[in-house]
Amino acid sequence: MLRVSGLAAGYGTGRVLHGVDLEVPDRQVLTILGRNGVGKTTLMHSIMGLVRPTAGSVTLDGVELVGRPTHRIARVGVALVPQGRRVFAPLSVEENLRIAARHGQGDWTTARIFDMFPRLAQRRRLAAGLLSGGEQQMLAIARALVMSPRILLLDEPSEGLAPVVVEQVGEVIAGLRTSGLSVLLVEQNIGLALPLADTVLIMVKGQIAYRGSQQDFRGDRDTARELLGIT
């Protein structure tokens, strides 16, 4: 289980997160919704060690992650699929995967990745910068998987993608949960995020303003309207 307790973080003298608490149980998807600028990406970066928290705790099965460098957080089983994909554009698909792979460890081999993403297999020798946006998103997910994570952090995976590709991304995420991964999903696209969610959180101004099951959220239109501007 990933547990975040009282997490505070920001940039310079500006604080963005104000005591965030959440838990991601094994084999579940925790979805965080929220408008732009509420701190969702800062939260993901703080968990991953890209932003150093000023207070609070992040643990994975009781192992404290705060204060560890990013590469050590990755080694204990946390992988981030960043907003905007950020693949290594000049390198081929295979080279992107090879860089991220943990040699000789885990079940996510290149063969398994190409079986899951046949389009990437077809383009394995093509430079990542020449892939479509949807293919780059699949590569970003695949690059995280070859690190053999226990929990996957997905930051706005539908951003800039056509609806048919968003649907494919949703199918991939659903399949990953079935395979045993836990997922922390940050999204603004409720059409993608909600069907996948076991639990829904809403962030407002760096804090968790709502938490409930998928069923509870679906039945609470007033909350969606007030916190997300959804009618």
Side-chain angles (χ1 to χ4, degrees), residues 67-172:
R68 295 191 180 207
T70 298
H71 70 279
R72 293 195 178 276
I73 293 174
R75 286 176 184 171
V76 299
V78 185
L80 172 67
V81 180
Q83 185 177 17
R85 300 177 278 276
R86 299 187 185 180
V87 297
F88 301 116
L91 302 183
S92 71
V93 168
E94 276 189 319
E95 289 167 337
N96 268 267
L97 297 177
R98 195 176 305 133
I99 285 175
R102 294 164 62 182
H103 298 291
Q105 298 185 34
D107 296 327
W108 287 99
T109 63
T110 302
R112 183 179 178 187
I113 289 292
F114 285 153
D115 184 57
M116 186 175 202
F117 302 103
R119 187 67 172 170
L120 294 182
Q122 295 169 9
R123 296 177 172 266
R124 61 197 304 161
R125 293 182 178 83
L126 190 68
L130 299 179
L131 300 176
S132 69
E135 290 166 344
Q136 288 187 10
Q137 186 61 72
M138 296 303 178
L139 176 57
I141 295 172
R143 185 179 58 186
L145 290 176
V146 296
M147 298 170 66
S148 298
R150 296 164 59 197
I151 181 166
L152 192 64
L153 313 182
L154 286 158
D155 193 358
E156 304 280 4
S158 74
E159 184 180 59
L161 301 183
V164 65
V165 182
V166 172
E167 185 176 342
Q168 293 170 1
V169 170
E171 292 171 355
V172 168

Side-chain angles (χ1 to χ4, degrees), residues 50-62:
L50 297 168
V51 171
R52 185 173 288 266
T54 56
S57 173
V58 179
T59 60
L60 182 64
D61 287 342

Side-chain angles (χ1 to χ4, degrees), residues 1-2 24-29 60-61 150 180-183 198:
M1 176 186 289
L2 181 78
V24 186
D26 286 342
R27 298 174 182 262
Q28 290 196 19
V29 176
L60 182 64
D61 287 342
R150 296 164 59 197
L181 270 180
S182 300
V183 177
D198 293 291

Side-chain angles (χ1 to χ4, degrees), residues 18-49:
H18 303 273
V20 173
D21 298 307
L22 61 85
E23 294 180 355
V24 186
D26 286 342
R27 298 174 182 262
Q28 290 196 19
V29 176
L30 178 71
T31 294
I32 301 179
L33 305 173
R35 303 186 190 193
N36 282 330
V38 299
K40 302 188 302 297
T41 292
T42 300
L43 172 61
M44 300 292 254
H45 286 183
S46 298
I47 293 171
M48 201 67 217

